[in-house]
Amino acid sequence: MSTATIPTALTGTYVLDASHSRIGFAARHAMVTKVRGSFNEFEGSGHFDAENPANSHLALIIQANSIDTRNEDRDGHLKSNDFFDMETYPEIKFASTAVEKVDDDNYRVTGDLTIKDVTKPVTVDFEYTGTAVDPYQNQRIGFDGSTTVNRKDWGVNWNAALEAGGVLVGEQVTLEFEVSAIRTS
């Protein structure tokens, strides 16, 4: 955790470093545990204004077919018409509509999340995790964030009833973001 306000000198345009970032999720499975996964192909960019965060904005495009839960059969089912219908809807998109500073280390990003051509607003709370200049002289900034959504709000409805009661897949899904972004200007 950072101990100081983000320096205004970090204001600028950034791109996500996909090889050092993670876009993931967790959902309840069989009412007893959570299944975690991630998307391995995504790109994002935005402008961060450290002095006036309301002037900040970001956009993220995820290649839905890059879903990875460490189980090939489950991934195939998630890619199918039962869940994401990735042949028809190959991308998941997020575009911010508002950024606000909560305190020295925390920001709230509200935006439009599009899954299966359904767009709904979501809010993600992010913690500023630090800055660094890497060995290649890239200025980096880091944030970790998460939010919980109901997958049915985006038409991701498939489920199966369990013999003892309950369902196979929980409706609530936690979206997880571990971001390393490189300043480009």
Side-chain angles (χ1 to χ4, degrees), residues 20 23-24 26 40 73 77 86 88 96 117 123 133 137 154:
H20 294 98
I23 308 296
N40 296 326
D73 290 339
H77 192 200
M86 294 178 184
T88 306
S96 67
D117 271 355
T123 299
V133 175
Q137 300 308 304
W154 285 270

Side-chain angles (χ1 to χ4, degrees), residues 24-28 39 84 92-94 109-115 118-125 146-156 169-177:
F25 58 88
R28 182 77 49 202
F39 293 94
F84 289 106
I92 297 170
K93 298 178 182 179
F94 177 82
V109 177
T110 300
D112 293 326
L113 177 63
T114 303
I115 302 171
V118 176
T119 302
K120 300 256 183 204
V122 298
T123 299
V124 183
D125 290 324
S146 67
T147 192
T148 300
V149 299
N150 186 322
R151 64 187 175 86
K152 288 188 170 186
D153 290 345
W154 285 270
V156 183
V169 183
E171 292 178 13
Q172 300 299 310
V173 177
T174 301
L175 306 177
E176 306 162 331
F177 306 90

Side-chain angles (χ1 to χ4, degrees), residues 1-4 6 48 99-109 124-131 141-147 176-181:
M1 182 194 310
S2 143
T3 58
I6 298 174
F48 179 68
V99 177
E100 69 177 290
K101 183 176 181 175
V102 176
D103 59 34
D104 284 351
D105 292 324
N106 296 286
Y107 293 80
R108 184 161 291 134
V109 177
V124 183
D125 290 324
F126 281 96
E127 178 187 5
Y128 165 62
T129 57
T131 61
I141 192 166
F143 293 94
D144 282 350
S146 67
T147 192
E176 306 162 331
F177 306 90
E178 298 167 18
V179 175
S180 177

